[in-house]
Amino acid sequence: MRKLILLAIVGLGAQLVDGSLGMAYGVTSTTLLLAIGTNPAAASATVHLAEIGTTLVSGASHWRFGNVDWPVVLKIGLPGAVGAFAGATFLAGLDTSVAAPVMSLILLALGVYVLTRFTVRGLRTDRLGHPLRKRFLGPLGLFAGFVDATGGGGWGPVGTPAILASGRLEPRKVIGSIDTSEFLVSASASLAFLLALGSQGVNFVWVLALLLGGAIAAPIAAWLVRHIPPRVLGSAVGGIIILTNTRTLLRSDWIGAPDQTRYAVYAALFVLWGAAVVYSTRAHLAERQLAQGSTRTPVERPEPASEPA
């Protein structure tokens, strides 16, 4: 029972972040399942089955708050479903001892990208209103779907920063559209896993726990997306992904690092992570202050009265 409550809490927290940032539900949940010894393919299948429900609720919530651009959803979601099916089929054929560190490497790379992207560069807003073309969204969706299925997460970490970096869609609609299109990706990946593995290794009670927590958080996250600065949250989530997957790799048979080495690496990562969050927070506050200053109307001062000759 304690494990089920923990999974529900993880699902709730992961969906709060995912729904307000457009990423991290799959990465966070899969990392936890790997940490407790779940088969990599089964972990990804479990998370994607739960995401069918959470993304449906999340998409409906984002639509209600006006956070969804439907042409973007279709242009990126359909290729994403194709990529996810291929990725799930590929992962199901890997040996477990090989798949675990491979998945952690994918997640670690995504974490580094998310942390660097949001900490160093922030968000671009000078191209708002320019159309997002199919020749950009199609390949992006195909790649993001493949990474999502093989890494147990990655649709958001790949898709959200890429569209945000283009500066063509306001952040809340990027996040809402990515979350909504993820329903297609999750359904496709789940179908592929079930065809390749059956229900082997998939604990449907765990699926229900993750789904329940995520479904509770989805409407809250769709509202929060208007209020939480994505730059700060991106740095925080990127650090979590890096730390947890570094731990998995250092303890794997590939590396087998001794305790002293692992603790030293963890300490260094904590320092870098903290510095990144502080930098992002300061940069966000500076950007907000600059934006507020630029919108203020200067007060006209009366000219001093001229003295009589």
Side-chain angles (χ1 to χ4, degrees):
M1 178 60 70
R2 183 180 300 176
K3 184 177 290 186
L4 293 179
I5 294 174
L6 175 62
L7 285 169
I9 293 173
V10 168
L12 188 148
Q15 184 59 45
L16 277 175
V17 176
D18 187 278
S20 56
L21 184 62
M23 65 181 74
Y25 181 90
V27 174
T28 305
S29 303
T30 302
T31 296
L32 173 69
L33 292 178
L34 287 176
I36 61 177
T38 307
N39 176 292
S44 187
T46 300
V47 170
H48 280 93
L49 283 168
E51 281 186 315
I52 293 177
T54 59
T55 54
L56 184 62
V57 177
S58 181
S61 301
H62 277 296
W63 169 73
R64 181 181 177 186
F65 284 103
N67 298 335
V68 178
D69 187 308
W70 289 106
V72 171
V73 169
L74 294 177
K75 289 177 184 177
I76 195 171
L78 294 176
V82 175
F85 192 93
T89 304
F90 171 76
L91 180 62
L94 283 180
D95 181 76
T96 301
S97 61
V98 176
V102 167
M103 183 182 291
S104 292
L105 277 174
I106 293 173
L107 296 173
L108 178 61
L110 290 173
V112 171
Y113 177 72
V114 170
L115 180 69
T116 304
R117 180 67 185 82
F118 280 86
T119 301
V120 177
R121 300 187 62 185
L123 302 174
R124 185 174 184 177
T125 58
D126 60 333
R127 290 184 177 179
L128 286 177
H130 291 240
L132 284 160
R133 303 189 182 281
K134 188 182 295 185
R135 63 173 177 265
F136 167 69
L137 293 175
L140 176 64
L142 192 67
F143 175 71
F146 185 87
V147 171
D148 185 85
T150 54
W155 179 250
V158 173
T160 299
I163 299 178
L164 284 174
S166 72
R168 295 174 180 240
L169 194 64
E170 57 183 306
R172 68 182 181 89
K173 289 198 173 183
V174 174
I175 292 167
S177 301
I178 285 291
D179 272 12
T180 303
S181 60
E182 193 171 9
F183 171 77
L184 300 173
V185 174
S186 300
S188 178
S190 298
L191 176 61
F193 279 124
L194 290 175
L195 289 175
L197 302 173
S199 59
Q200 179 183 358
V202 179
N203 189 322
F204 287 96
V205 178
W206 290 10
V207 172
L208 184 61
L210 287 171
L211 194 160
L212 181 62
I216 293 172
I220 303 172
W223 176 80
L224 283 175
V225 73
R226 296 172 176 265
H227 304 284
I228 297 180
R231 182 168 189 169
V232 177
L233 197 53
S235 297
V237 172
I240 293 173
I241 297 169
I242 291 171
L243 185 65
T244 51
N245 287 285
T246 297
R247 175 182 177 275
T248 301
L249 284 170
L250 291 177
R251 294 166 64 95
S252 69
D253 293 336
W254 283 13
I255 299 177
D259 290 346
Q260 291 182 343
T261 302
R262 288 190 286 112
Y263 296 148
V265 172
Y266 299 156
L269 289 177
F270 267 114
V271 171
L272 290 173
W273 182 21
V277 172
V278 170
Y279 180 86
S280 294
T281 303
R282 290 180 175 178
H284 167 70
L285 293 175
E287 290 170 356
R288 187 175 66 177
Q289 186 175 10
L290 181 63
Q292 290 174 346
S294 64
T295 57
R296 288 179 186 154
T297 303
V299 178
E300 295 184 3
R301 296 181 179 179
E303 296 183 2
S306 56
E307 297 181 2

